[in-house]
């Protein structure tokens, strides 16, 4: 149990250190300049002014922190897999197993946060390199066929995305129309169902009315017959 407690303290220490490193790495990535689409359009036209070189703005700090976080993540993963998990199994306590599961979840969350920040930094670097190449090509300083190809591909991708957005908008309108028609058909079906369910009651009411009229007809016929018989009796006996 003492061994498990010492491993737990070590894992907690690594967890807190890793949380602090990932948070600082996210701040570094956020501080890296991010060229907007408007800047890219100006760069393509050769109208954008000079700026700092791609990969600047704390690139060395980012790389150092990135490697440090990757080492710490690997250390925590090894600690959980090779030491903490077997120690919890030896202890045989449900709380110990739950604690190992919690550390695995923390490791997964921190790895995800770090990977998102790393990919964001990669995208910013690629965008900065693309803008730098566009500025050089637009000013006539450097002829870079590869960069021109990337710019053309960017335009094609943008056009494709616009076309896809238009198709999606049309599909959404069609879906809304179909949904409206479906609701209308549903209301019609419901009304027809109500009418069909009420038909047996109407038939029963009609049958009752017919039986009552038949009985009234019999009563009237009896009264008329009685009157005729009384009249004949009176005529013959007067």
């Amino acid at each position: 149990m003492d061994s498990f407690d010492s491993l737990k303290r070590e894992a907690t220490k690594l967890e807190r250190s890793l949380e602090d490193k990932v948070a600082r790495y996210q701040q570094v990535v956020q501080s890296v300049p991010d060229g907007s689409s408007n800047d890219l359009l100006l760069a393509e036209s050769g109208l954008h002014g000079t700026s700092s070189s791609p990969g600047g703005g704390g690139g060395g700090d980012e790389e150092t922190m990135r490697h440090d976080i990757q080492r710490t993540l690997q250390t925590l993963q090894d600690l959980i897999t090779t030491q903490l998990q077997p120690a919890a199994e030896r202890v045989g306590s449900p709380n110990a197993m739950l604690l190992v599961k919690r550390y695995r979840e923390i490791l997964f969350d921190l790895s995800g946060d770090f990977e998102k920040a790393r990919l964001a930094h990669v995208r910013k670097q690629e965008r900065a390199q693309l803008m730098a190449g566009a500025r050089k090509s637009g000013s006539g300083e450097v002829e870079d066929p590869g960069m021109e190809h990337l710019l053309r591909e960017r335009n094609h991708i943008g056009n494709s995305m616009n076309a896809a957005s238009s198709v999606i908008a049309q599909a959404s309108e069609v879906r809304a129309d179909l949904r409206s028609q479906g609701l209308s058909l549903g209301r019609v079906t419901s009304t027809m169902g109500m009418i069909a369910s009420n038909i047996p009651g109407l038939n029963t009411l009609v049958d009752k009315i017919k039986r009552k009229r038949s009985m009234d007809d019999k009563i009237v016929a009896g009264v008329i017959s009685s009157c005729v018989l009384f009249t004949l009796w009176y005529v013959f006996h007067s």
Side-chain angles (χ1 to χ4, degrees):
M1 188 66 180
D2 293 338
S3 175
F4 180 78
D5 290 338
S6 62
L7 291 173
K8 181 177 68 175
R9 287 191 294 270
E10 185 177 355
T12 302
K13 182 179 179 181
L14 285 173
E15 170 200 342
R16 293 174 180 174
S17 174
L18 193 57
E19 287 179 348
D20 180 64
K21 291 177 181 179
V22 171
R24 286 190 286 111
Y25 182 76
Q26 290 173 333
Q27 292 177 356
V28 170
V29 171
Q30 290 177 356
S31 66
V32 175
D34 185 10
S36 62
S37 59
N38 184 52
D39 292 336
L40 186 54
L41 291 174
L42 292 175
E44 292 174 0
S45 304
L47 300 177
H48 201 286
T50 58
S51 63
S52 58
S53 60
D61 293 339
E62 184 275 333
E63 184 178 1
T64 301
M65 295 178 65
R66 170 159 45 85
H67 291 314
D68 187 20
I69 291 173
Q70 289 172 340
R71 285 193 299 268
T72 307
L73 284 170
Q74 188 62 43
T75 301
L76 181 57
Q77 182 177 358
D78 293 341
L79 177 65
I80 295 172
T81 303
T82 63
Q83 300 184 52
L84 195 62
Q85 176 76 28
E89 292 175 353
R90 287 193 300 270
V91 171
S93 172
N95 292 332
M97 299 302 297
L98 288 175
L99 186 62
V100 173
K101 181 180 178 182
R102 172 182 170 274
Y103 280 122
R104 289 187 183 277
E105 292 174 350
I106 292 174
L107 177 63
F108 179 80
D109 292 339
L110 290 175
S111 299
D113 293 340
F114 167 69
E115 189 64 18
K116 290 178 182 178
R118 188 187 67 81
L119 292 177
H121 183 264
V122 170
R123 288 192 296 269
K124 286 185 177 183
Q125 281 188 321
E126 293 175 348
R127 190 178 297 114
Q129 292 173 359
L130 181 63
M131 290 180 62
R135 285 194 297 269
K136 292 178 181 180
S137 177
S139 61
E141 296 176 2
V142 177
E143 292 295 335
D144 191 347
M147 189 58 61
E148 292 180 0
H149 176 70
L150 288 176
L151 292 174
R152 286 195 300 269
E153 288 296 326
R154 173 189 174 275
N155 292 331
H156 293 328
I157 292 173
N159 294 333
S160 299
M161 291 182 64
N162 291 333
S165 299
S166 178
V167 172
I168 292 173
Q170 293 177 1
S172 299
E173 293 178 359
V174 172
R175 177 178 176 272
D177 293 339
L178 291 175
R179 184 177 181 183
S180 177
Q181 294 176 7
L183 292 175
S184 299
L185 291 175
R187 287 192 294 267
V188 171
T189 303
S190 177
T191 303
M192 295 297 294
M194 292 176 60
I195 293 174
S197 64
N198 291 331
I199 284 176
L202 292 175
N203 292 334
T204 303
L205 180 61
V206 170
D207 292 338
K208 289 181 179 180
I209 293 173
K210 287 181 178 180
R211 286 196 298 268
K212 186 176 181 181
R213 289 186 61 183
S214 178
M215 187 177 296
D216 292 341
D217 292 341
K218 290 178 181 180
I219 293 173
V220 171
V223 171
I224 293 174
S225 300
S226 299
C227 293
V228 171
L229 292 174
F230 178 76
T231 302
L232 292 174
W233 178 83
Y234 180 77
V235 170
F236 287 111
H237 289 81
S238 58

